[in-house]
Amino acid sequence: MAPLIEIKGLTKKYRIGREVITAVNDVSLSIEAGEFVCILGPSGCGKTTFLHLVAGLDRPTKGDIFVKGLCINKIKEKDMALFRRRFMAFIFQAYNLVPTLTAIENVSMPLMFDGMVKFKRDKMAKELLTQIGLGKRLRNKPSEMSGGQQQRVSIARALINNPKVLYADEPTGNLDSKTTKEIMDILVSRVRQKGVTLVMVTHNKELTEDADKVIYMLDGRIQKIVDQRNNTVQEFIHEEVEAPPAAESPEKIAVEAINEGRIAAEGAV
Amino acid sequence: MNNVDVLRMAYGNLFRRKMRAILTIVGVFIGTMAIVVMMSLGIGLKESTTKQMESWGDLNMITVNQGRSWDPETGEYKGDEQRLNDDAVALFKSQPGVISVMPSIQVNGQAKYGKKEGWLNLYGVEPEIFNQMTYEIAEGRTLRDTDVNSVLVGWQVINQFWDPEDTGGGRRMMIGPGGTEQSNSTEMLNQVVYVTINNNYNYEMSKKQPLTVVGVLEGEFKDHAYSAYAPISTLKKWRDFVNDKSYMTEEQRQQQEQWEREMKERGETSMTRDPKDYDQILIRCKDVKEARVVASTLRDIGYNLWTVADYMENVENQALIIQAVLGGIGGITLLVASIGIANTMIMAIYERTREIGVMKVIGATGADVMKMFLMEAGLIGVCGGVLGLICSLGASKLINYLSGDYFGTTMDGMQLNISVIPPYLMIFSLIFAFCIGIIAGFYPARRASKLSPILAIRNE
C-alpha cells in the first residue's frame, strides 16, 4: 500500500539578516495511513518547521510533500484552504482558540468555513464536546476555562471535520503532568478509534510511548527512526557536516551582532 | 463560509474593543450627518425656488407673443419674423413633447361691473382647447363650446376694478401676502360685466358688450391671474368691429396714406401685422425639460416667447453649485471618518493576526478572512450611517423650525422648508456610509487575507 504521506528531500532555509539558516535539511520520510508518528527532538532542531511544512502551512525551499499522491507544496493557496478544511487538522501548543467565541463556536468553526448551517454544526460540536467531558462548558469562552479544558476544546475542533491526518505541535507543552496524561489519553484514544493518522511533535520522550514510530531529529535532519511496533531502528548517518564558518572579518561579526537582536523578534523572512 | 456567518462573525468582532468601535462609529455618524444635512439644504433651496417659480406660472408652459425673438447677448434678431396663424399652431403642435397648443386673440376694453369700473384683458379661446390646457377652476365652471358672451376670470381680475364713488378714490393696489386690501374674483361669479370696445380708427365708435362670469381660475400669482377668457367666436366678432377701417374719418384716411407714402420714399416697408392673426399662442409641454427644448427651437425660428422654464435652468445650475459645495464640505468630514475606519481595521488586524492565522489553519480561505473584515468595516459604516441619518432627520426638522419665521412660506402660503431630506437621500446616505466602510476597510482586509497561516504560530 502506498504511504499516506511521502516526503522527499524536504529542505527549508530561512534568511535571518544576512545569515541563512537551514531549519530542515534534506529530509525524506513516509507515513502510513493510521499511524501515530512522534517527532522527537530538542528545541531548535527544526521539528516544528518540519511539521508546518508537512501540514502545508509553509512552503519548502526544496523537496516535495505528497499526500495521497498529491504534491501539496505546489497547489494554490485557495485549494490549500480546502485541503486543510477537509483533510487535516492542527493542534497547537497554545490552544489558539478564538477568545470571543464560546466552546461550541470554536469547535464548529471548521464546519462554518465549510458552509454548514449553524444549528447543524452546533449540534455536532455539542455532541463531540460532551463526549470528551466538556458538557458543562459548552457556552464558556476560552478565558473561562483551564488550560486542559482549552486544549480539549482545541482537540474537538481538530476532530470535528473528521480529518485524515492530525498534526499536533507540542499539544501538552503548556500543561502540568496530570493534565498532560489526560490530554494524551483523549488524543490517542480518539485517533486510534477513528483511524486518524497522528503526527505529533514533542521534546518529551515520555509522550512517545504510545507512538507507532518515533522520529529523532537533530539540526534539521533525521537521526533515527524507531518503529515501536516491531522494535526496529533505522539509523541515518550524515557524512558531510557543515563546515564551520571561515575566519570572519570584524565587519561581519559586527553585522551579526546587530542581527542577533532581531533574530528572535523578526522570525523568518 | 456562508454570508450569514460572515455577518455574525463581523458583528461579534466589531464590539470587541467597544470604545474604539464606538468612537469610529461616531466619526462616521458625524460625517454622514454633515453630508446629509448639507445636501438637504441644497435640495431644500432648489425645491423652494422651484415651488416659488411654479407659483408664477406653470413650468411646462410657453407663451408665444407677437413680435420677434432676439439674442439678449448681441441684441440682434434671431430667425425671421413669424406670423401667429394656424400654420404656426400646426408647427407648434408638431414639436416633440408638446401636449396642447392654444391660440388666442386679445381684446382689451374698459369694463363695468356693478358700480365698479375697470379694465379687462380679454383673451378669446376655443373652449375645447382651453380645457385641454388643464387650468384649474377655483369657483364656478369652465367654458363650454356652446357658450356665447361667457367669461372666465383670473383670481386678481377684481382688483382691476374700482368704485369711482369710493371715498378713497384710488384704484385698489394689489399688495402681497398679509396686505390689507385684497379681494378675489369669486364675488364676480354669475355677475355680468359690461365691456366697452372702441374702434381702432375712430375712438368715438364704441360698443358695450355684456359678459357673464361663469367661473374663476385658480392661481393667485400666476400670469393668468389678471386675464379673462371668453369664447373666441364671441371675441372675433368684437375684433372685427375694433379693426373695422370703414369707421375711419376722411381726415384719418388721408393722414394714413401720407404716412405710407413717406415710408415708401425712405425705402422702409411697414410691418403691419395681419389683423386676422392670433395675438398669443400658449403651448403646454410634457415637462420642464421638453418646454426648454421647444422654447429654444422656436426662438431660433424667430418666435417671441416667454417661459418660466428659462429661469429654471439658472436656478438648477445655482442649486447644483451650492449642493456641490455643501456636499463637498460634508464629504470631507466623511473622508476623515473613513480614515478612522481604516485605522481601526488596521489596529484590529494587528491584534488578531494570530487569530487570522489560526482560522486559516482551520480552513478559512483568504476570501473568507477578507469578507469578515470587509463586513466589519461595512458594519461600522452602516451603524454610523443609520445614527447619522436619524440625527440628520432631527437636525433637519430643527433647522426648518428655527428658520420657519424667515423662510416659511411662498407668496401663496405654501410651506417651504430650507432643509429637505427626500427618501432617495436617505437611501443614498446609508449605501454611501456602507460603501465608505467597505472602501476604507478594503486595504486592511486585503492585508488580513494575505497573511500567511504560519504567522499564527510564529506570533506566539
Side-chain angles (χ1 to χ4, degrees), chain A residues 51-187:
Chain A
L51 189 71
H52 290 164
L53 289 170
V54 177
L57 304 185
D58 209 352
R59 305 256 169 178
T61 314
K62 229 162 71 182
D64 289 312
I65 304 142
F66 296 92
V67 177
K68 276 187 153 181
L70 182 74
C71 183
I72 62 160
N73 49 305
K74 286 195 179 131
I75 60 180
K76 285 183 195 153
E77 185 57 34
K78 198 179 150 196
D79 301 322
M80 260 327 279
L82 192 69
F83 169 75
R84 289 188 202 118
R85 200 155 69 206
R86 298 263 172 88
F87 191 80
M88 57 156 269
F90 211 98
I91 297 171
F92 303 92
Q93 179 177 358
Y95 331 127
N96 278 337
L97 302 175
V98 177
T100 49
L101 302 182
T102 62
I104 285 189
E105 286 166 337
N106 264 295
V107 172
S108 65
M109 222 179 195
L111 302 176
M112 177 182 83
F113 291 127
D114 214 24
M116 191 186 280
V117 290
K118 189 171 166 61
F119 84 94
K120 212 168 158 189
R121 64 176 195 250
D122 281 0
K123 198 179 152 219
M124 285 174 70
K126 204 168 154 185
E127 271 173 24
L128 190 55
L129 280 166
T130 314
Q131 280 172 28
I132 59 171
L134 283 175
K136 285 179 181 171
R137 295 279 172 185
L138 297 175
R139 311 255 168 231
N140 288 40
K141 294 200 169 155
S143 57
E144 299 157 355
M145 288 186 271
S146 70
Q149 286 167 336
Q150 287 190 54
Q151 194 60 301
R152 274 195 252 183
V153 173
S154 130
I155 290 170
R157 179 177 69 183
L159 292 171
I160 192 95
N161 56 346
N162 291 317
K164 299 279 178 297
V165 195
L166 185 56
Y167 300 99
D169 185 6
E170 303 264 16
T172 57
N174 288 7
L175 303 173
D176 59 58
S177 54
K178 185 170 164 268
T179 321
T180 296
K181 185 150 187 342
E182 279 173 23
I183 292 294
M184 281 310 293
D185 285 348
I186 290 171
L187 190 59

Side-chain angles (χ1 to χ4, degrees), chain A residues 14 52 57-58 81 84-85 90 92 94 96 98-101 109-110 112-113 115-116 118 121 157 268, chain B residues 1-2 5 8-9 13 16 354-355 358-365 368 372 452-454 457-458 460:
Chain A
Y14 289 116
H52 290 164
L57 304 185
D58 209 352
R84 289 188 202 118
R85 200 155 69 206
F90 211 98
F92 303 92
N96 278 337
V98 177
T100 49
L101 302 182
M109 222 179 195
M112 177 182 83
F113 291 127
M116 191 186 280
K118 189 171 166 61
R121 64 176 195 250
R157 179 177 69 183
Chain B
M1 194 172 179
N2 65 47
D5 287 319
R8 198 179 276 136
M9 290 293 286
N13 283 331
R16 276 166 79 163
R354 184 202 294 199
E355 202 176 304
V358 170
M359 285 184 186
K360 286 195 150 186
V361 171
I362 288 172
T365 58
D368 288 336
M372 277 192 276
S452 156
I454 199 81
I457 304 104
R458 284 276 162 72
E460 276 171 27

Side-chain angles (χ1 to χ4, degrees), chain B residues 330-343:
Chain B
I332 289 169
T333 324
L334 202 52
L335 182 74
V336 173
S338 75
I339 293 170
I341 297 179
N343 186 30

Side-chain angles (χ1 to χ4, degrees), chain B residues 241-303:
Chain B
F241 168 73
V242 169
N243 290 333
D244 195 343
K245 282 189 181 178
S246 63
Y247 291 103
M248 272 192 198
T249 59
E250 192 53 38
E251 200 184 334
Q252 280 174 319
R253 192 167 290 136
Q254 281 171 1
Q255 198 166 15
Q256 175 103 16
E257 281 166 5
Q258 196 188 333
W259 279 340
E260 282 172 8
R261 261 202 311 278
E262 281 172 10
M263 278 179 75
K264 242 179 206 167
E265 281 163 15
R266 288 202 300 267
E268 291 174 9
T269 49
S270 69
M271 299 293 269
T272 48
R273 48 172 285 228
D274 190 323
K276 293 262 184 287
D277 280 355
Y278 299 112
D279 293 293
Q280 190 182 67
I281 300 179
L282 279 183
I283 306 169
R284 186 180 279 280
C285 303
K286 248 185 242 153
D287 53 36
V288 190
K289 259 188 208 159
E290 305 272 21
R292 224 180 265 161
V293 175
V294 172
S296 129
T297 314
L298 297 183
R299 224 175 239 142
D300 288 344
I301 297 174
Y303 288 101

Side-chain angles (χ1 to χ4, degrees), chain A residues 18-39:
Chain A
R18 286 188 183 178
E19 214 168 345
V20 173
I21 287 176
T22 309
V24 178
N25 195 352
D26 194 22
V27 171
S28 297
L29 182 70
S30 52
I31 297 167
E32 306 288 334
E35 267 187 335
F36 172 12
V37 177
C38 256
I39 300 165

